[in-house]
Amino acid sequence: MTQVDRNSAKLPLGGLLKGMKVTIKAMVTRVHTVQYPVVKETPVPRARGVIALDPEACTVCMLCARECPDWCIYIEGHKQEIPPDKEGGRVRTRSTLDRFDIDYALCMYCGICVEVCPFDALFWSPDYEYSEFSISDLLHDKERLTDWLETVPTPPALEGA
Amino acid sequence: MNFWLELLLKLALILAVMLPGALVVIFGELKISAHMQSRIGPYFAGGRYGWAQPLADGLKFMQKEDLVPAAADSMVFRLAPYIVLMGTLATYVIIPFGPDLVVENLDLGLFYLLAVSSLTTLGVLMAGWSSGNKYSMIGGLRAAAQLIAYELPLVLAAVAVAVQAGTLSLNGIVASQAETVFTIGGFDVALPFVLKGQIIGFLIFVTAGLAELSRIPFDMPIAESELTMGYLTEYSGLRFTMFFLGEYAGMVAMAAIVSTLFLGGYYLPFVDADLLNVVGPLVLVAKVGLMCFLFIWIRWTFPRLREDQLQTLAWRWLIPAALVNIMLTGIAKVVL
């Protein structure tokens, strides 16, 4: 428990003066508030602003969509047959991404999708300026999510590398 | 000059002083309170420092619907804001801005001042009673109890000044603060009443003045956390603006009165009477600004008093102290 400093307010009405000292000090201290649209703070690189998608890396494994607590990721894909490289080779199939939407009206920015992605197709970007007048516009489609990719900062170098 | 024309001119002059004064103080309150709470406050209105915020607020209020509750006593309800504003406006009549710059130099100036300033109490009580809302009524009754309790120390503190000055005219009070008290090296030094033994009176007057204005820490009548907004609860639109403006105009008036009674009013040392008519208003405005800053500073520092603490402060401390102050002033006046 903290000891109450009883000597500080010995003067009659000294407590009042002490309080006024506090407010006047706060008044002359520089305010740290930043007036947003005029002045913009740079968020830290690890800030969870928006999730970017690298469609080339995505294999439509659906892990992110399944792990998402809010079910805010919508994925559709189809299997595509790739002809063999050499004569007599095996025909391989490959999953192609048709739709990858994240509904930011639902997203709670937990980052589980980014964590869970085994192919490094999802990234955190510190960009945060994507508010909309209509809530339905917060559903970002594949193209929009891909556009965020350029705002993703380069990851810090590995320790001891 | 034609009587009516003169009256109209004087009225226009009072409005020209009161409205900008109130707006400036509102803006000052917004900004100062913001910085005292580590905020910036208005920023965008008007382009720079948000200087147009009070005007924008006023415009907004004007567009709002002027509601009268079904349960309200319509006539009284509509009339109340005018009475409050009128009572505040009337105090501007006798505030001297210079030796000749006064709307009306009444011989009974101080008496008139204290009389018309209690008119606002009536308006507040009317508003609280007629709203047909229990919060409003409690607020109105609290306002009445508070304003009656604090009218006394206010008057008694002013009486001591009147005794010392030997006049009730505000011009006379300023003039008596311009008298030479002593001379140092050829300079005639004049002291305002606050330095001539009225320091206790000054403190009492400012405290009671704050209570008269119903400002924090004496804002029980409008206590928003317990009475929503007291007698203001049911008001909207232009009528609310009137109360709001009246509150700040009252603050300016109170600051001007304190400056006149205790801080020497428009008087500036080493400036002769002719020039004082030019410099005087600026001096008074500076003092008013200082007092308003003090009011705002106090408001954003202290919490609200409890209702019984409020009454205790008035009846057990301020009034006896004011009476002792009058007695000492009287003795000093006779002996010295």
Side-chain angles (χ1 to χ4, degrees):
Chain A
M1 237 182 94
T2 44
Q3 195 80 35
V4 177
D5 187 8
R6 288 180 194 285
N7 294 326
S8 56
K10 259 191 174 169
L11 205 78
L13 305 180
L16 298 183
L17 296 178
K18 204 174 146 193
M20 292 180 77
K21 208 175 92 186
V22 171
T23 39
I24 198 90
K25 237 187 214 163
M27 196 187 85
V28 293
T29 315
R30 210 177 68 83
V31 176
H32 294 287
T33 316
V34 166
Q35 292 289 0
Y36 163 60
V38 180
V39 191
K40 282 176 188 165
E41 269 189 329
T42 342
V44 287
R46 65 166 192 282
R48 299 180 170 196
V50 68
I51 293 162
L53 169 76
D54 181 1
E56 299 302 314
C58 181
T59 61
V60 204
C61 70
M62 302 273 179
L63 274 180
C64 50
R66 282 162 56 172
E67 291 299 327
C68 177
D70 295 341
W71 291 77
C72 71
I73 303 176
Y74 307 97
I75 302 174
E76 278 166 26
H78 69 271
K79 290 238 168 77
Q80 209 176 9
E81 292 203 338
I82 300 175
D85 294 346
K86 281 181 258 175
E87 195 71 29
R90 189 163 55 93
V91 175
R92 288 183 295 160
T93 52
R94 195 199 136 124
S95 297
T96 326
L97 192 60
D98 292 329
R99 176 187 181 209
F100 192 107
D101 296 353
I102 297 181
D103 189 351
Y104 282 107
L106 286 178
C107 178
M108 64 184 199
Y109 301 89
C110 64
I112 288 174
C113 51
V114 180
E115 293 280 317
V116 89
C117 181
F119 302 104
D120 274 352
L122 293 171
F123 301 93
W124 273 118
S125 156
D127 210 303
Y128 53 89
E129 291 182 304
Y130 54 94
S131 57
E132 302 284 353
F133 285 108
S134 167
I135 199 165
S136 57
D137 294 341
L138 279 171
L139 185 80
H140 289 196
D141 57 13
K142 195 173 73 178
E143 284 68 38
R144 187 116 193 248
L145 291 171
T146 313
D147 287 344
W148 289 121
L149 210 56
E150 59 195 56
T151 64
V152 174
T154 44
L158 290 174
E159 273 179 60
Chain B
M1 213 195 297
N2 187 331
F3 172 75
W4 293 107
L5 185 67
E6 200 180 324
L7 195 70
L8 209 66
L9 276 176
K10 283 175 173 177
L11 206 64
L13 201 72
I14 291 176
L15 278 175
V17 172
M18 186 206 88
L19 286 175
L23 288 177
V24 166
V25 174
I26 291 172
F27 178 69
E29 172 121 54
L30 288 172
K31 269 304 201 194
I32 292 167
S33 68
H35 280 271
M36 281 180 176
Q37 297 172 335
S38 301
R39 296 182 288 116
I40 291 178
Y43 190 82
F44 294 110
R48 206 166 168 77
Y49 306 119
W51 64 270
Q53 189 63 45
L55 290 173
D57 280 345
L59 275 175
K60 185 195 76 179
F61 280 136
M62 270 178 223
Q63 292 166 28
K64 300 254 169 178
E65 191 185 354
D66 184 20
L67 286 167
V68 179
D73 186 340
S74 170
M75 167 95 169
V76 180
F77 184 83
R78 285 165 197 273
L79 210 61
Y82 293 100
I83 301 228
V84 170
L85 201 58
M86 209 81 90
T88 310
L89 265 178
T91 56
Y92 281 83
V93 169
I94 43 107
I95 294 166
F97 285 85
D100 303 316
L101 290 174
V102 56
V103 174
E104 201 66 68
N105 182 16
L106 299 173
D107 289 336
L108 276 173
L110 198 52
F111 181 75
Y112 165 84
L113 182 82
L114 297 166
V116 292
S117 68
S118 39
L119 205 63
T120 52
T121 317
L122 196 66
V124 166
L125 197 55
M126 279 166 68
W129 180 264
S130 65
S131 288
N133 173 324
K134 61 187 169 194
Y135 295 116
S136 295
M137 194 171 125
I138 296 173
L141 292 180
R142 275 191 185 187
Q146 173 175 330
L147 299 185
I148 288 166
Y150 280 89
E151 197 89 337
L152 266 143
L154 194 80
V155 171
L156 292 175
V159 163
V161 171
V163 167
Q164 193 163 6
T167 173
L168 281 173
S169 150
L170 287 192
N171 279 57
I173 287 170
V174 174
S176 75
Q177 293 180 85
E179 282 166 11
T180 309
V181 181
F182 53 84
T183 314
I184 304 176
F187 285 116
D188 296 336
V189 179
L191 290 176
F193 278 137
V194 69
L195 295 176
K196 278 199 285 196
Q198 289 297 341
I199 178 74
I200 294 170
F202 173 73
L203 292 176
I204 293 170
F205 197 89
V206 169
T207 312
L210 276 177
E212 287 283 297
L213 296 170
S214 306
R215 279 179 72 79
I216 292 172
F218 303 105
D219 71 328
M220 292 69 136
I222 53 166
E224 58 266 59
S225 53
E226 41 198 281
L227 294 180
T228 57
M229 217 37 193
Y231 58 85
L232 293 173
T233 307
E234 298 293 355
Y235 281 92
S236 62
L238 207 53
R239 274 171 230 280
F240 178 79
T241 319
M242 277 188 188
F243 273 116
F244 194 70
L245 214 58
E247 191 186 319
Y248 283 91
M251 194 168 138
V252 176
M254 187 57 77
I257 293 159
V258 172
S259 312
T260 307
L261 292 185
F262 294 96
L263 304 177
Y266 57 77
Y267 177 71
L268 192 71
F270 320 122
V271 177
D272 54 283
D274 290 337
L275 204 59
L276 262 184
N277 274 328
V278 183
V279 187
L282 299 176
V283 176
L284 189 70
V285 163
K287 285 173 183 173
V288 165
L290 213 67
M291 285 311 299
C292 283
F293 176 73
L294 184 72
F295 290 164
I296 293 169
W297 186 7
I298 287 172
R299 167 163 182 180
W300 295 99
T301 303
F302 301 131
R304 183 183 309 133
L305 265 75
R306 214 169 51 211
E307 193 63 27
D308 66 309
Q309 290 171 331
L310 168 91
Q311 299 292 347
T312 307
L313 180 64
W315 295 102
R316 283 181 61 195
W317 298 101
L318 292 185
I319 293 172
L323 287 171
V324 170
N325 187 39
I326 292 178
M327 211 167 70
L328 293 178
T329 311
I331 292 170
K333 179 87 177 170
V334 173
V335 172
L336 296 179

